[in-house]
């Protein structure tokens, strides 16, 4: 999860200075696309990492880009591999993601964030630029996409996808954090108004169309979904984003359920780890570290009726197959867990 800071005026600011090295088809940054060479390190709890998990699955890159899962909590220094035997990533053989950052940058001064891609032969981090990372999976790894992979970033729609995605990032993805980490009443009030203004805009946009841009799922939908999936479980209470719950916003609730019930979205969402992360790690917001039992998750599987708006989730492509062995959300961690 990216670094966070609170400015002196009480307003939350996010550090956005990431490692911008790219893995490309032509290898212009020194890291060419190669099957089996890289490992995507994620945490299911993190919305920014959840995007990468979804895109990798939709595009069918499981066989060429391996994945490593950090646990839902971390300390001041690093995400850790506490879900793995002996607390070591089975491929990189390291206990902390920080080790891969320091392998490339011995004096790395910034936060250790997920998602990150690591070069397996050298053990060095390549990039943690979460926004560019998923775009590159769509555009630079095309030779290795599965047959029927969707066009998540189609060229004719890129300008509109970028425009919509920018507003989603600044006002919604980041907006919930702006509320949750506000250091003053004035900063919180302003953040709250910005967030719900954006959610109202999205409700209006999605009232007459099934997806954000065009008539298929795109990168923009992936970026919005991971925040909506966490809204009632975390952001409504923990981050004080409480004008309404997602379940009380009819258009966005229908849209979120539509995506959740689409292969690649709900089957990558781990509500237990999501709640553990936010409520345990953010001790400044929740000093008791008590994790709430609710909300009821079975509602995610109720009918949404969004098919009436038309649209084709995967365009001319097909849904991804079953989740790969070893990558499934643990039993009881998804919808229906109560």
């Amino acid at each position: 999860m990216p670094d966070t800071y609170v400015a002196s005026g009480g307003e939350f600011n996010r550090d956005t200075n990431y490692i911008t090295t790219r893995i490309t088809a032509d290898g212009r940054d020194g890291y060419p696309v190669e099957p089996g060479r890289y490992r995507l390190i994620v945490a299911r709890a993190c919305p920014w990492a959840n995007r990468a998990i979804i895109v990798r699955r939709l595009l069918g890159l499981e066989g060429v880009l391996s994945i490593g899962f950090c646990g839902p909590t971390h300390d001041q220094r690093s995400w850790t591999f506490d879900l793995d035997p002996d607390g070591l990533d089975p491929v990189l053989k390291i206990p902390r993601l920080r080790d891969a950052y320091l392998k490339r940058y011995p004096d790395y001064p910034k936060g250790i964030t997920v998602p990150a891609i690591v070069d397996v032969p050298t053990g060095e981090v390549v990039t943690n630029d979460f926004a560019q990372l998923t775009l590159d999976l769509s555009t630079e790894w095309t030779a290795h996409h599965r047959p029927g992979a969707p066009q998540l970033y189609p060229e004719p729609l890129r300008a509109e996808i970028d425009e919509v995605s920018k507003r989603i990032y600044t006002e919604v993805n980041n907006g919930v954090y702006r509320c949750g980490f506000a250091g003053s009443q004035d900063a919180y009030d302003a953040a709250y108004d910005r967030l719900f203004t954006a959610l109202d805009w999205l409700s209006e946009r999605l009232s007459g169309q099934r997806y954000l841009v065009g008539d298929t799922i795109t990168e923009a939908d992936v970026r919005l979904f991971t925040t909506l999936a966490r809204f009632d479980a975390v952001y409504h209470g923990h981050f004080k984003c409480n004008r309404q719950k997602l379940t009380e916003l009819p258009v966005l609730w229908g849209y979120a359920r539509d995506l959740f019930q689409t292969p690649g979205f709900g089957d990558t969402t781990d509500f237990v780890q999501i709640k553990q992360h936010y409520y345990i790690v953010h001790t400044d917001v929740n000093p008791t570290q008590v994790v709430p039992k609710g909300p009821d998750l079975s509602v995610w599987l109720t009918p949404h009726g969004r098919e009436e708006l038309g649209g084709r989730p995967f365009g001319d492509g097909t849904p991804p197959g079953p989740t790969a062995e070893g990558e499934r959300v643990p039993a009881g961690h998804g919808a229906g867990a109560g």
Side-chain angles (χ1 to χ4, degrees), residues 160-170 219-220 223:
E160 188 177 358
I161 292 170
D162 290 346
E163 181 183 355
V164 172
S165 294
K166 182 178 181 180
R167 187 166 181 185
I168 288 170
Y169 170 72
T170 59
E219 173 81 16
R223 294 187 179 199

Side-chain angles (χ1 to χ4, degrees), residues 61-138:
L61 291 171
E62 294 94 334
V64 297
L65 176 64
S66 71
I67 196 167
F69 294 96
C70 297
T73 62
H74 58 76
D75 58 26
Q76 291 295 317
R77 293 188 297 157
S78 182
W79 291 88
T80 53
F81 295 100
D82 43 285
L83 301 176
D84 292 306
D86 301 320
L88 294 175
D89 179 83
V91 173
L92 301 175
K93 307 298 183 186
I94 56 175
R96 317 170 72 82
L97 179 56
R98 183 171 183 259
D99 297 340
Y101 279 70
L102 297 182
K103 189 78 182 292
R104 184 173 176 195
Y105 300 110
D107 299 317
Y108 190 73
K110 305 175 77 63
I112 306 302
T113 65
V114 290
I117 295 184
V118 177
D119 181 39
V120 175
T122 62
E124 298 178 0
V125 67
V126 179
T127 182
N128 65 342
D129 187 352
F130 67 91
Q132 187 62 49
L133 189 155
T134 50
L135 297 180
D136 284 345
L137 292 181
S138 279

Side-chain angles (χ1 to χ4, degrees), residues 1 54 73 84 101 108 135 139 205 210 223 225-226 237:
M1 191 167 294
I54 292 169
T73 62
D84 292 306
Y101 279 70
Y108 190 73
L135 297 180
T139 59
R205 183 181 184 93
R210 191 171 177 186
R223 294 187 179 199
F225 171 80
T226 58

Side-chain angles (χ1 to χ4, degrees), residues 11 171 175 178-179 182 184-197:
E11 181 179 342
E171 305 303 302
R178 198 180 290 113
C179 290
S184 72
Q185 189 67 50
D186 286 347
Y188 165 74
D189 290 348
Y192 174 102
D193 290 343
R194 280 182 67 176
L195 171 64
F196 282 97
T197 295

Side-chain angles (χ1 to χ4, degrees), residues 111 145 250:
H145 289 179

Side-chain angles (χ1 to χ4, degrees), residues 276-298:
Q276 287 173 338
H277 173 76
Y278 285 92
Y279 287 100
I280 293 173
V281 171
H282 297 159
T283 54
D284 49 344
V285 179
N286 186 43
T288 64
Q289 298 182 298
V290 172
V291 180
K293 291 183 71 173
D296 174 19
L297 301 173
S298 62

